[in-house]
Amino acid sequence: MTLFSLARRNIARNFSQYFLYIASMVFSIVIYFTFVTLKYSDIVSKMTETSQKMGSLMSGAAVVLIFFVAIFIAYSNSFFMKKRKKEVALYALLGVRKRQIGLMLFFENLLLGVFSLVIGIFLGFLSSKLFVTILIRLMGYDVVAPFTLSTEAIINTAIVFFIIFFITSFQGYRLIYQFKLIDLFHASKKGEAAPKPSWIVAILGLLSIGTGYWLALQNLLTSEAWRILGMFTPLVILATVIIGTFLLFHSVTGFVLSLFKRREKWLWKGLHLMTISQLLYRVRGNARTLTVIAILSATTVTAGGAVYSLYYNINDSVKLADPNTFMYKQAANVDNDKVTSLLPATIYDENVSALFVTFEAKQLESAMSIDEDKRIYTVIDETTYNKLAKLQHKEELQLIDNKATIIDVDYHENLSPKYAGKTITAEKGTEITLKGYHDVPVLNFKAGMTLVVTNEHYKELEKQGEPVQFRAIGVDDATIDLSKGIASSLPDEAQFSSAPEDYQSGIEGMGSLLFIGSFLGLVFLAATGSIIYFKVLTEAEEDKSQYNMLYKMGVSAKEMRKTVASQVCVVFAVPLIIGLAHSAVALTAFSNLFSMDFTKPVIIWMLAYTTIYGIYYVLTVYSYNRIITQNNKNEG
Amino acid sequence: MKSLLKIENVKKTYGKTSNAYTALENISFQIERGEFVGIMGPSGAGKSTLLNLLATIDTPSEGKIFMNDKSIHDMKEAALSDFRRDNLGFIFQDYNLLDSLTVKENILLPLAITKVPAKEIEKRVQKIAKVFGIEALLSQYSYQISGGQKQRTAAARAIVTEPALILADEPTGALDSKSATDLLESLSSLNANNESTIMMVTHDAFAASFCRRIIFIKDGKLSKEIYRRDQTRKVFFQEILDTLSAIGGEVDDVI
């Protein structure tokens, strides 16, 4: 019997210990393999061929994934190694050479890696089918997902994970060299230094986070801070928030807990003493872990929330861009009858008269405008606007004081010109004064910037501009096929615009973004949950003898469950709350930038995140309790 | 014949210079082949530190430890591993058995490490199991057996390689008196019949009464040395108690 066969036997019998580690590796591989399979799949590669954006998005996401997966595996590896220190020390004491132990750990780790890789790729193959189906659904395609095993994906995954495993295995090899033998023996006994919270550090932490928040909420264009820091601002925000979060966990939590410790009336009741002391004892050593969790949560919620909000708003943006289901400009070679013959029952079908008028518009210069003095507006009169508004179930417009109004759906307080009171002049001298802007369009986006003028002004302008006729059609439940049919019977000059078509392309673009966003979100969430799970369960292993002592002292199982639940709750809830706060700020900044209202989708997204996160909490508390009860049963 | 173990002016301090704590100071003694030596002293006297130094898992701040005339702390890492493997056997207070291995596998682990042929391993394991009376337990896992049985397994593991020196750290610390007596009698007969050299750290006068010689340590320094010679164990036990109260060890601690 050789040492290696004993070591192998040790793996087989210690499977429960190895299981968590292998499971976390398999999990990482499944996620990564699924992602690369999608990347190399026909559907996605067709998409990436047509859209440069999509290609770079996929590659970017892959890099983020690799980075993440590497951190995650390194993390579970160090947990795993910590558990084995004593075994390693025993080998050393029995006279196995360091090099031999190192090699053993190295190969063992590599073997576990290869084993996980095989399982991971197999499971990943199954799950990629599921994900391709989801992706296709989200993008509104109607095809069955092809079930193919991509060799490229396998090679890619194998290479990436071999590198990761090689590095972690090398860490295992170094374990024996890094520590003195006596430290290895006492590794599990060593306590964490009691935290010494300091006011200064706590305040520094709060200040740092405050600075980050303040910078993020600054106006991009007018802020002095952004002007000075320039391109580095996002980095500065990131750094201040991360450092602040760390200091927060490092000191502020210590403070709060010591405050609890002073309230003896409350503290000396039941197991409160145990709960607070345990948390206090662990909190400093956990500052780094808690920071990682908070930042991961923030990233996940922010990225997912932003993408989901955009997706959620597609319908609204299409409604703004295409208030009419179909619209086109009359031209010489347009066959109106043919279009009519294609149409199903319509809600309305109107011919709209408008004018293309060139204006002198020096007054409308703004931060974003290029020096353009002449602008062409599509002019319609008040009557036309109100007729269409009525058909589209929108409020009618009342022009007063002979002033006109401009339709600007993308109005942005800082980027758009200030319209109110400004005067623009047509080429032949008609002056139009603007009342302001209005964000309810009646013509499709392709008609151009619309100016609504009084009927009198319209008559005056008729001689100064080029008259055009638009045909605006409203249809319920228009399909993409109908839209394609009409489009093919119209010449290019008709500038056909269609709500279903724009909706489709919006969904295609955003759908894949949403998919990548939620996929990465899922990965981060699962990993965040797993990190806490790992951490808490390692602590449970360390603390089980304490609970056994409590059990012997006559503490009821119910009370122990309560203290465990509240300890774990703090570990879960505190980083979640801070992560949500970070992402709320980030998403506010984001929605300011896009001037869209994200409240509802962001709340939905946060609730979804919190729910899954909550499931992890329940699972962790359950496992913790199981470890304790199992131990109490064994120890009697 | 030269001494098996020679300890010369060993000093061990912990911590930084500003608030250093001296665990051992000016320790010198020798152990001959075939001796059964007990190291006694109250808690915190430095017994375990001394054992850790001998076990080569810790290094002295000053002084040297020679075994077979070799300074063990001047050896290179690889040589040190070989030295431990070939010369030392350990019995710990908390057994340090691997839960995932059976009793038999735990015992043969050091033989597997030394690459002894399987046939020879089988023979030696059976022999040592008989000495400690654990033949019936060989196929059980270490978490299935009692504390006394675990400690006998650990002792069997320490002795199976027939090391030049067996180091035992409070081996009876966690055992009831019956199990403790069984273990001590096994060690005692090993010492008598096989001429194994044993060094045992203990604060228990009863356990110490099985030794042939006892070295007392107090506050990190050698304090006294007594020999059993041909006294009966009971008489020697009384002498140990007397010595302990004479040097001011906590009598509470020894009963």
Side-chain angles (χ1 to χ4, degrees):
Chain A
M1 200 170 295
T2 63
L3 179 62
F4 278 84
S5 72
L6 274 181
R8 209 177 52 225
R9 203 169 287 199
N10 200 19
I11 296 185
R13 302 232 183 93
N14 254 341
F15 199 71
S16 64
Q17 261 190 38
Y18 286 75
F19 181 75
L20 270 181
Y21 181 50
I22 293 178
S24 70
M25 284 197 291
V26 169
F27 167 78
S28 315
I29 295 164
V30 168
I31 296 279
Y32 185 79
F33 181 73
T34 308
F35 190 78
V36 270
T37 306
L38 292 186
K39 194 178 159 195
Y40 289 120
S41 74
D42 290 344
I43 299 162
V44 178
S45 58
K46 227 180 265 163
M47 260 172 13
T48 47
E49 263 169 38
T50 51
S51 138
Q52 191 84 49
K53 221 165 56 187
M54 181 81 188
S56 48
L57 203 67
M58 284 303 257
S59 312
V63 172
V64 174
L65 253 184
I66 292 177
F67 188 65
F68 185 77
V69 154
I71 289 180
F72 182 56
I73 291 186
Y75 210 90
S76 29
N77 181 265
S78 72
F79 270 133
F80 178 62
M81 281 301 168
K82 203 170 160 190
K83 271 187 174 174
R84 304 201 53 207
K85 271 186 187 167
K86 208 167 177 183
E87 185 194 329
V88 166
L90 186 66
Y91 287 137
L93 204 54
L94 292 177
V96 185
R97 288 188 189 179
K98 279 188 177 180
R99 217 176 80 86
Q100 213 176 346
I101 296 176
L103 281 179
M104 191 180 92
L105 290 177
F106 180 84
F107 283 114
E108 180 192 285
N109 204 10
L110 211 58
L111 214 73
L112 287 178
V114 173
F115 177 67
S116 315
L117 197 61
V118 173
I119 297 182
I121 286 181
F122 176 71
L123 292 179
F125 171 57
L126 296 181
S127 84
S128 61
K129 158 86 174 162
L130 178 78
F131 277 107
V132 168
T133 319
I134 294 173
L135 178 60
I136 286 167
R137 273 283 156 73
L138 277 175
M139 298 198 307
Y141 283 127
D142 222 5
V143 228
V144 182
F147 203 44
T148 49
L149 190 59
S150 148
T151 24
E152 278 163 308
I154 293 178
I155 293 171
N156 184 320
T157 310
I159 291 175
V160 166
F161 279 90
F162 256 112
I163 294 171
I164 293 177
F165 290 149
F166 200 79
I167 294 167
T168 52
S169 301
F170 190 68
Q171 266 180 353
Y173 177 78
R174 285 198 337 165
L175 174 81
I176 188 77
Y177 288 98
Q178 269 171 341
F179 298 97
K180 281 193 186 145
L181 202 46
I182 192 156
D183 295 332
L184 281 177
F185 253 96
H186 300 299
S188 46
K189 287 183 198 158
K190 236 181 219 166
E192 286 144 68
K196 244 189 272 158
S198 103
W199 273 116
I200 300 165
V201 176
I203 289 170
L204 267 179
L206 287 174
L207 273 181
S208 182
I209 293 185
T211 314
Y213 279 11
W214 180 78
L215 272 176
L217 292 177
Q218 286 301 299
N219 188 303
L220 208 73
L221 293 162
T222 54
S223 157
E224 194 71 2
W226 276 81
R227 201 180 55 76
I228 296 167
L229 294 169
M231 289 295 286
F232 294 106
T233 324
L235 281 179
V236 173
I237 294 175
L238 217 61
T240 48
V241 170
I242 291 177
I243 293 170
T245 310
F246 178 76
L247 297 180
L248 195 72
F249 284 124
H250 189 269
S251 267
V252 178
T253 44
F255 260 121
V256 176
L257 288 172
S258 350
L259 281 184
F260 273 110
K261 237 185 158 167
R262 263 183 237 153
R263 292 180 49 208
E264 291 172 349
K265 232 181 180 172
W266 175 85
L267 188 71
W268 292 347
K269 211 191 305 165
L271 289 181
H272 289 166
L273 179 67
M274 172 95 176
T275 313
I276 296 299
S277 301
Q278 282 276 335
L279 284 171
L280 200 56
Y281 177 68
R282 296 249 184 243
V283 86
R284 197 183 211 177
N286 288 342
R288 216 169 357 154
T289 319
L290 295 179
T291 309
V292 170
I293 296 166
I295 298 299
L296 280 179
S297 294
T299 317
T300 312
V301 175
T302 307
V307 173
Y308 181 61
S309 302
L310 291 177
Y311 186 76
Y312 188 87
N313 283 326
I314 286 177
N315 212 0
D316 292 345
S317 5
V318 168
K319 265 188 197 143
L320 279 180
D322 303 313
N324 303 294
T325 319
F326 302 119
M327 196 180 95
Y328 61 87
K329 200 175 87 182
Q330 298 293 5
N333 49 355
V334 165
D335 188 350
N336 281 311
D337 294 336
K338 194 174 173 209
V339 173
T340 314
S341 70
L342 289 169
L343 284 174
T346 56
I347 313 169
Y348 63 87
D349 186 351
E350 291 288 329
N351 268 313
V352 182
S353 313
L355 301 167
F356 286 158
V357 185
T358 313
F359 286 97
E360 188 80 30
K362 252 191 196 139
Q363 286 199 12
L364 292 186
E365 269 166 21
S366 74
M368 290 303 279
S369 68
I370 323 136
D371 295 321
E372 244 189 313
D373 292 344
K374 293 207 188 326
R375 295 172 192 220
I376 300 174
Y377 287 116
T378 308
V379 181
I380 53 174
D381 60 21
E382 197 179 352
T383 322
T384 313
Y385 181 90
N386 286 338
K387 191 171 73 182
L388 281 172
K390 207 169 173 186
L391 289 168
Q392 292 164 9
H393 307 291
K394 287 169 182 161
E395 244 178 83
E396 292 184 18
L397 190 69
Q398 212 79 50
L399 292 180
I400 39 170
D401 295 344
N402 218 9
K403 282 180 181 167
T405 192
I406 202 152
I407 308 291
D408 188 349
V409 293
D410 292 324
Y411 185 79
H412 190 287
E413 216 173 304
N414 305 109
L415 304 183
S416 304
K418 306 269 175 285
Y419 293 112
K422 301 283 165 62
T423 302
I424 52 174
T425 319
E427 274 178 339
K428 286 183 188 144
T430 306
E431 286 192 350
I432 308 273
T433 307
L434 297 174
K435 185 189 76 181
Y437 76 96
H438 192 60
D439 56 7
V440 184
V442 292
L443 293 180
N444 289 9
F445 181 68
K446 269 196 184 162
M449 201 71 158
T450 309
L451 188 67
V452 186
V453 296
T454 56
N455 297 350
E456 293 80 44
H457 270 138
Y458 187 79
K459 281 211 184 88
E460 208 177 303
L461 288 168
E462 261 180 336
K463 293 154 226 155
Q464 304 177 26
E466 171 201 345
V468 276
Q469 290 281 320
F470 289 111
R471 187 177 177 187
I473 306 162
V475 180
D476 260 340
D477 305 323
T479 62
I480 185 81
D481 290 333
L482 174 62
S483 167
K484 275 181 189 152
I486 300 173
S488 64
S489 63
L490 286 171
D492 285 348
E493 299 95 283
Q495 291 174 1
F496 177 66
S497 65
S498 133
E501 196 191 306
D502 287 352
Y503 185 73
Q504 172 77 10
S505 64
I507 291 284
E508 271 174 33
M510 288 316 296
S512 48
L513 243 180
L514 176 69
F515 175 76
I516 296 175
S518 35
F519 186 82
L520 285 178
L522 187 78
V523 176
F524 278 42
L525 173 59
T528 314
S530 310
I531 288 178
I532 313 183
Y533 185 77
F534 265 118
K535 197 184 93 62
V536 173
L537 288 201
T538 331
E539 286 175 10
E541 287 287 341
E542 281 170 24
D543 291 346
K544 64 184 180 189
S545 54
Q546 292 190 33
Y547 287 99
N548 186 242
M549 189 195 72
L550 287 177
Y551 175 73
K552 283 174 179 161
M553 280 165 63
V555 176
S556 71
K558 201 178 140 202
E559 269 186 283
M560 274 196 265
R561 269 205 298 277
K562 228 171 89 188
T563 178
V564 165
S566 31
Q567 281 177 46
V568 178
C569 181
V570 171
V571 174
F572 268 85
V574 173
L576 176 70
I577 290 167
I578 291 183
L580 287 182
H582 288 352
S583 59
V585 172
L587 285 168
T588 312
F590 189 64
S591 80
N592 283 345
L593 196 65
F594 280 73
S595 53
M596 278 189 204
D597 183 16
F598 285 169
T599 323
K600 211 168 142 196
V602 163
I603 286 177
I604 294 175
W605 188 260
M606 283 181 172
L607 279 180
Y609 186 85
T610 311
T611 309
I612 305 179
Y613 197 82
I615 294 172
Y616 261 103
Y617 167 68
V618 174
L619 188 77
T620 310
V621 172
Y622 173 78
S623 311
Y624 200 127
N625 277 317
R626 225 186 45 166
I627 290 177
I628 293 174
T629 18
Q630 206 83 33
N631 184 52
N632 287 346
K633 234 181 251 163
N634 289 344
E635 300 283 321
Chain B
M1 202 165 86
K2 278 187 180 150
S3 308
L4 175 71
L5 191 69
K6 202 159 77 186
I7 294 162
E8 278 182 358
N9 284 320
V10 163
K11 180 178 181 179
K12 178 73 189 174
T13 51
Y14 289 110
K16 290 171 206 128
T17 41
S18 54
N19 59 345
Y21 161 70
T22 307
L24 289 175
E25 201 170 5
N26 202 18
I27 300 280
S28 302
F29 63 89
Q30 298 181 3
I31 292 180
E32 309 299 328
R33 249 169 268 274
E35 270 200 293
F36 187 179
V37 179
I39 307 281
M40 284 199 80
S43 304
K47 304 183 298 271
S48 293
T49 306
L50 176 62
L51 199 81
N52 283 341
L53 294 179
L54 294 180
T56 69
I57 64 176
D58 210 349
T59 46
S61 315
E62 277 171 36
K64 289 206 156 141
I65 298 174
F66 297 95
M67 197 157 167
N68 289 327
D69 283 336
K70 250 193 251 158
S71 170
I72 56 177
H73 290 103
D74 289 333
M75 281 190 238
K76 285 260 157 45
E77 198 282 314
L80 198 60
S81 290
D82 291 351
F83 168 78
R84 275 201 293 267
R85 192 184 67 200
D86 299 335
N87 294 295
L88 297 180
F90 298 93
I91 308 173
F92 303 93
Q93 181 175 9
D94 50 359
Y95 327 128
N96 270 325
L97 297 176
L98 293 183
D99 278 340
S100 52
L101 300 182
T102 63
V103 168
K104 185 175 175 179
E105 285 162 353
N106 264 300
I107 296 175
L108 65 81
L109 184 63
L111 294 178
I113 290 168
T114 3
K115 300 201 173 97
V116 176
K119 229 173 156 186
E120 170 74 13
I121 287 183
E122 186 67 36
K123 215 169 75 193
R124 283 217 235 166
V125 169
Q126 290 300 339
K127 196 178 125 200
I128 202 83
K130 203 177 266 168
V131 173
F132 286 97
I134 48 175
E135 303 107 300
L137 308 173
L138 284 179
S139 58
Q140 283 185 313
Y141 285 95
S142 59
Y143 55 83
Q144 293 170 316
I145 61 178
S146 74
Q149 291 165 337
K150 275 185 200 172
Q151 193 57 294
R152 275 181 279 156
T153 307
R157 183 184 62 191
I159 288 153
V160 75
T161 51
E162 293 168 6
L165 178 65
I166 296 161
L167 297 169
D169 186 7
E170 305 270 13
T172 58
L175 301 184
D176 61 86
S177 57
K178 168 83 173 62
S179 307
T181 313
D182 285 351
L183 179 75
L184 290 164
E185 274 170 357
S186 307
L187 288 180
S188 192
S189 70
L190 260 172
N191 170 246
N193 304 334
N194 295 19
E195 300 218 318
S196 307
T197 316
I198 303 172
M199 193 186 112
M200 178 170 74
V201 161
T202 184
H203 68 263
D204 173 18
F206 174 73
S209 67
F210 283 85
C211 301
R212 310 298 309 172
R213 168 163 72 122
I214 294 171
I215 296 168
F216 292 89
I217 299 183
K218 199 191 165 195
D219 302 329
K221 289 175 191 139
L222 287 185
S223 139
K224 205 174 180 222
E225 200 176 17
I226 57 173
Y227 286 86
R228 179 164 157 191
R229 298 200 180 78
D230 25 351
Q231 301 172 80
T232 63
R233 206 180 52 70
K234 279 207 176 121
V235 178
F236 191 46
F237 177 61
Q238 198 52 52
E239 190 185 345
I240 295 169
L241 287 185
D242 294 344
T243 315
L244 278 176
S245 45
I247 66 169
E250 301 139 55
V251 177
D252 287 348
D253 207 29
V254 299
I255 294 173

